[in-house]
Each structure stands twice: as structure tokens, then as C-alpha cells.
């Protein structure tokens, strides 16, 4: 830097080397911690939330690498620049000089000074590296500098330089340059005018920083943030559609229901759909109660694996088919076999479980079948037991399967509880959770209505951090 310019700027007092070394150590430890978090990120990057996480880590690593490099520059002091044409070697300010240690990041900050009185220019060695110029070539003047800049960015550079030279405004802006190898780099320029004794602009001094990688990381963060936002909007839309489809298909009654509608021997019914506490999309759980043409009552619960609109649509298909075939007179074992064939023939194969019961009020007989589903629980006189299940594999597991039937005679006051496995899965384990349900026998026996019984079950199981959706259907046998 020419002596007449340095006289206008007080000499910087370098900080103690020990304190700078301590800051460098802290920055590098933090960088290592962030890098470890990035490496430990699970998955293959297909999830938008994961991509957002990794992009933020990448951006933090770039920032910490820059900090490491700048601290090293501060510690090591100024570096020599190539000789100015016809002059002696010059130096650049310590805070912006690039050293020869610390890696390639240190070549990303350089400085320049343009003397308006002599039309001479001096660049630091790092600026030559940033711009891809031969260090032996003369530094470009302010009039020549725009030749390196992309056409669309030249007006921006011209405006910044003009404001600095004419109005003494500081420079703070970015533009893109094209290096001789054809690569494009983004350069951030900060500069200020240097005034002479009369207050006129004698020269312009600037620091130029290659921020290409930083801007790339920031773009990735923005892109992943936008992708995550779109993914969240799509998930919300799908959940809304699945919920509307589920509400349209499940029985419209709320509270209690008595079936069949005529006669003294009815079932007092109550049911509830319990969503998961994880906020995941709607699953394929269903419950149903339907009075059939012959006066019998159809009870069923089931679960189609998966979540989302497609699963809710598949559930609607199965439930509609179940209702239609039951109305046509199909018995529970036959119903399971037909549903299995239907699910096996769908374009998108899936697995499902179900239990289906026909209640004959004249004899209080319950005929039922199951397809890989938890058996109904029967409570009598305050004591509960799990019904012995007939043979039956998951729906969709095999093209042809036989499904057995079981029969049990109910008594007035008996309580039948059907549920999907989401009710009892999770922290207790299925066996322990079924035992907890059976332990509710005295409380269920004391309840007057099916709705009261359902309220007891929901209080016991419905308020926990449920991992999956669940359905509960309770039938209380009247006298």
C-alpha cells in the first residue's frame, strides 16, 4: 500500500497470538462436532427433512471453515503480493490477507487498491487466485475490471464503483466473474474511498471474497427448505383427503346404536376411531355395524397396512365389498376368503387383517371368522376372556386361503369387545396390553351401557402416546 494512503489509516494492533490460537482451536472443535452430526444423519437423503438437516450442516461447515481461515490470516499477518508494474512488492491489510497455511479456503479472500492519481492498481496474491489470473500479469485497472464480469452483472459493479468514487459511498455487493478456464465464481466486494488531504478521492481500496461455495450452500438450504415446505403441504393435503374419505366410509352414527332395530334381543353398540399421537397420515383402520336383510347384525373391525390416501381408498373398497357380500348372505368365513381374493387381485398388493361377526338375535349366537386379527374379547359377570380364534391368515398374504368359523352363544349382559391391533401395540406389548384389557372386566361389568364401557376403554388406552391408529367396537347384549 502506498505510504501516503497508509498515513490516513491508523495501524492495526494485532491481537495476541495465544488468544487467536485458542479461537482457532475452538472453531475447529466446533467444526468437528458439526461434521460428526452430518455424518451420523440417518437415511439415504430421500426424505426432505433429512436433506434440510444435511444442507444446514453443510452451510455451517462452510461458515466455520471460513472462520478458521480468517483467524489463521489474523494470526499469520500480511502476505506479500506480486510486484506492481515498475514498483516494489506491496502488502495487503493483515485482516484480509491470505496466508499460505490452512488450506485452499485461504485463497478465497484477497484485496486490491486502485490509485486514481497514477492509474496504478495493486492486487494481493489471493485476488489473482480468486480471479484465475496469472500472478505475473499486471493488475487490472478499474476501467478494465468489468471485462471479467458477466454481462448482466456489469451494471451493478459500475454503479457500486461510481457511487464510491463520486459520492464516497462504501462498496458492499456481489457480482459474478468468468475465469479464464470458463468457470464462474461469485465474488463479494467491500470497499471504501481513500481521501487525500484536500478531501478528494485519491484511491479506492477493496476486499474481494470468493463466496461461490457459500452461496451454493445457501441455495441448497433454500431449495431443501422449499422442498420440505412442499412436502409438508402435500402431506397435509393427503391427510385431509384421507380423513374425508374415512369419514365418508365409516358408519355415520356417533354415540350409541341399537341393532337390530326391531325386537327385544338387541345389541347396544358403541365405537370409536382413535388416531395416532404421532401425527402420521390416516391409516386403514375401520369398524362397522350393520343390520342385514335377514335381521342379523354384522360386526367387523379391520386394518389395512400403511397410511395415506391410497390406504384409505383400499380400506373403503374392502369395507364396501364386505357390506355388499354380507347383505347377499355370505357367512363370516366365506367373507374372509372373498376379501382375501379381492385384496390379492388389486393393482397395488397390500396386507390387511380383519374380524367379522354375525349375531343372530333369535338364539343369541355369534358366528365369527378372523384373518390374522386379534380375537374378540368376551366379558361376562365382570370377567373377561379372549375367544379361541379359528384358522385364518392375513388378507392378501396368499392367493387362496381357507378361513374357519367359530360360534359362541351369548347371554344377556355379555359384553363383546372388538379392536384393531393399534389399540394394544406399543409400550406394553400385545400380550400385556390384552391382559390390561381383560383386567377392565369389573369396571366394564359395572357399566350400564356400551357407551360407558367404551369411555372406560378410551380412558385406559386412548390418551397414551399411541404409535398407530386404532378402532374399538363394543357390543352389549340386551335381555
Amino acid at each position: 500500500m502506498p505510504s501516503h494512503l497508509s498515513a490516513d489509516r491508523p495501524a492495526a494492533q494485532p491481537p495476541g497470538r495465544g488468544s487467536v490460537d485458542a479461537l482457532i482451536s475452538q472453531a475447529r472443535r466446533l467444526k468437528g462436532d458439526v461434521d460428526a452430526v452430518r455424518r451420523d444423519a440417518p437415511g439415504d437423503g430421500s426424505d426432505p427433512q433429512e436433506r434440510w438437516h444435511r444442507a444446514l450442516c453443510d452451510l455451517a461447515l462452510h461458515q466455520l471453515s471460513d472462520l478458521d481461515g480468517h483467524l489463521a490470516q489474523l494470526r499469520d499477518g500480511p502476505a506479500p503480493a506480486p510486484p506492481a508494474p515498475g514498483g516494489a512488492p506491496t502488502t495487503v491489510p493483515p485482516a484480509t490477507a491470505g496466508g499460505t497455511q490452512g488450506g485452499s479456503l485461504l485463497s478465497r479472500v484477497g484485496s486490491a487498491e486502485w490509485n486514481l492519481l497514477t492509474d496504478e492498481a495493486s492486487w494481493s496474491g489471493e485476488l489473482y487466485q480468486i480471479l484465475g489470473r496469472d500472478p505475473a500479469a499486471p493488475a487490472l485497472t478499474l476501467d478494465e475490471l468489468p471485462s471479467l464480469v458477466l454481462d448482466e452483472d456489469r451494471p451493478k459493479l459500475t454503479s457500486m464503483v461510481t457511487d464510491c468514487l463520486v459520492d464516497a459511498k462504501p462498496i458492499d455487493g456481489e457480482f459474478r466473474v468468468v475465469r479464464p478456464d470458463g468457470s464462474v465464481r461469485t465474488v463479494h466486494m467491500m470497499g471504501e474511498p481513500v481521501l487525500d488531504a484536500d478531501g478528494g478521492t485519491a484511491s479506492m481500496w477493496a476486499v474481494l471474497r470468493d463466496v461461490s461455495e457459500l452461496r451454493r450452500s445457501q441455495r441448497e438450504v433454500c431449495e431443501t427448505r422449499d422442498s420440505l415446505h412442499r412436502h409438508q403441504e402435500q402431506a397435509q393435503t393427503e391427510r385431509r383427503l384421507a380423513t374425508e374419505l374415512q369419514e365418508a366410509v365409516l358408519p355415520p352414527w356417533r354415540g350409541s346404536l341399537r341393532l337390530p332395530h326391531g325386537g327385544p334381543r338387541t345389541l347396544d353398540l358403541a365405537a370409536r376411531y382413535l388416531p395416532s399421537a404421532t401425527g402420521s397420515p390416516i391409516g386403514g383402520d375401520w369398524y362397522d355395524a350393520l343390520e342385514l336383510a335377514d335381521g342379523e347384525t354384522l360386526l367387523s373391525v379391520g386394518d389395512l397396512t400403511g397410511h395415506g390416501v391410497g390406504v384409505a381408498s383400499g380400506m373403503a373398497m374392502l369395507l364396501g365389498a364386505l357390506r355388499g357380500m354380507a347383505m347377499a348372505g355370505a357367512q363370516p368365513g366365506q367373507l374372509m376368503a372373498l376379501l382375501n381374493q379381492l385384496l390379492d387381485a388389486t393393482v397395488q398388493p397390500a396386507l390387511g387383517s380383519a374380524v367379522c361377526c354375525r349375531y343372530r338375535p333369535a338364539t343369541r349366537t355369534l358366528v365369527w371368522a378372523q384373518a390374522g386379527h386379534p380375537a374378540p374379547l368376551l366379558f361376562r359377570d365382570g370377567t373377561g376372556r379372549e375367544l379361541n380364534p379359528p384358522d385364518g391368515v392375513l388378507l392378501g398374504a396368499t392367493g387362496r386361503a381357507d378361513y374357519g368359523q367359530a360360534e359362541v352363544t351369548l347371554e344377556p349382559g355379555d359384553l363383546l369387545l372388538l379392536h384393531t391391533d393399534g389399540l394394544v401395540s406399543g409400550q406394553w406389548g400385545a400380550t400385556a396390553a390384552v391382559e390390561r384389557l381383560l383386567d377392565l372386566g369389573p369396571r366394564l361389568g359395572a357399566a350400564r351401557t356400551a357407551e360407558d364401557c367404551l369411555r372406560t376403554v378410551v380412558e385406559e388406552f386412548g390418551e397414551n402416546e399411541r404409535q398407530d391408529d386404532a378402532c374399538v367396537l363394543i357390543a352389549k347384549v340386551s335381555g
Side-chain angles (χ1 to χ4, degrees), residues 91-443:
T91 61
V92 292
T96 60
T100 58
Q101 303 174 4
S104 60
L105 279 173
L106 299 187
S107 65
R108 297 171 66 190
V109 180
S111 64
E113 191 162 357
W114 289 275
N115 190 315
L116 303 182
L117 303 179
T118 63
D119 202 26
E120 292 179 345
S122 61
W123 288 1
S124 69
E126 291 75 25
L127 184 54
Y128 279 91
Q129 296 179 35
I130 291 173
L131 301 179
R133 303 278 295 177
D134 182 357
L140 298 183
T141 65
L142 283 177
D143 290 334
E144 297 169 332
L145 185 62
S147 65
L148 305 179
V149 180
L150 284 178
D151 291 345
E152 54 265 39
D153 289 356
R154 286 177 185 170
K156 184 191 303 183
L157 174 62
T158 300
S159 176
M160 289 191 300
V161 171
T162 301
D163 289 344
C164 179
L165 299 181
V166 175
D167 299 326
K169 293 182 179 179
I171 291 178
D172 189 353
E174 293 181 9
F175 52 88
R176 291 164 295 173
V177 298
V178 182
R179 293 160 56 116
D181 61 4
S183 62
V184 177
R185 308 297 293 179
T186 301
V187 177
H188 181 250
M189 184 176 183
M190 295 183 67
E192 60 183 20
V194 180
L195 306 180
D196 57 21
D198 298 328
T201 303
S203 66
M204 191 184 81
W205 174 84
V207 173
L208 295 95
R209 180 185 179 205
D210 185 348
V211 295
S212 304
E213 293 304 313
L214 176 60
R215 296 297 175 255
R216 180 190 61 80
S217 296
Q218 290 174 332
R219 285 195 300 272
E220 289 181 357
V221 169
C222 290
E223 290 169 0
T224 53
R225 179 187 60 202
D226 293 343
S227 175
L228 177 60
H229 182 65
R230 290 192 299 270
H231 179 78
Q232 291 172 335
E233 286 185 337
Q234 181 180 4
Q236 292 172 354
T237 300
E238 289 185 355
R239 183 175 180 83
R240 177 178 55 80
L241 292 175
T243 301
E244 291 175 354
L245 180 59
Q246 182 192 64
E247 291 176 348
V249 173
L250 291 182
W253 49 273
R254 296 293 183 269
S256 60
L257 175 70
R258 287 187 174 271
L259 292 179
H261 293 294
R265 297 181 174 182
T266 62
L267 293 178
D268 179 19
L269 301 168
R272 185 79 57 84
Y273 173 84
L274 303 173
S276 71
T278 61
S280 58
I282 293 295
D285 294 69
W286 85 80
Y287 65 87
D288 197 23
L290 181 67
E291 182 177 355
L292 302 176
D294 56 7
E296 297 183 0
T297 298
L298 174 73
L299 305 176
S300 69
V301 295
D303 180 12
L304 194 62
T305 58
H307 297 85
V309 176
V311 172
S313 176
M315 177 270 289
M317 175 192 69
L318 285 181
L319 187 52
L322 176 66
R323 289 168 174 169
M325 292 185 291
M327 276 293 189
Q331 294 301 305
Q334 184 184 10
L335 281 173
M336 294 294 99
L338 293 172
L339 289 180
N340 179 63
Q341 293 179 26
L342 176 62
L343 197 58
D344 182 66
T346 57
V347 176
Q348 295 182 340
L351 292 175
S353 68
V355 61
C356 178
C357 311
R358 285 182 73 116
Y359 175 68
R360 300 168 183 165
T363 59
R364 296 195 186 94
T365 302
L366 186 79
V367 180
W368 68 285
Q370 63 86 28
H373 198 86
L377 304 181
L378 176 61
F379 295 86
R380 178 176 293 169
D381 298 328
T383 301
R385 67 182 177 92
E386 191 173 17
L387 298 182
N388 294 324
D391 292 337
V393 299
L394 286 169
L395 300 175
T398 179
R400 292 191 176 276
D402 293 326
Y403 292 86
Q405 288 187 170
E407 185 173 312
V408 61
T409 300
L410 303 180
E411 297 180 2
D414 281 357
L415 188 75
L416 197 67
L417 189 154
L418 282 65
H419 65 88
T420 58
D421 58 5
L423 178 68
V424 297
S425 63
Q427 56 181 321
W428 307 291
T431 301
V434 169
E435 291 298 327
R436 287 189 60 184
L437 275 171
L438 295 176
D439 289 342
L440 296 177
R443 295 170 60 187

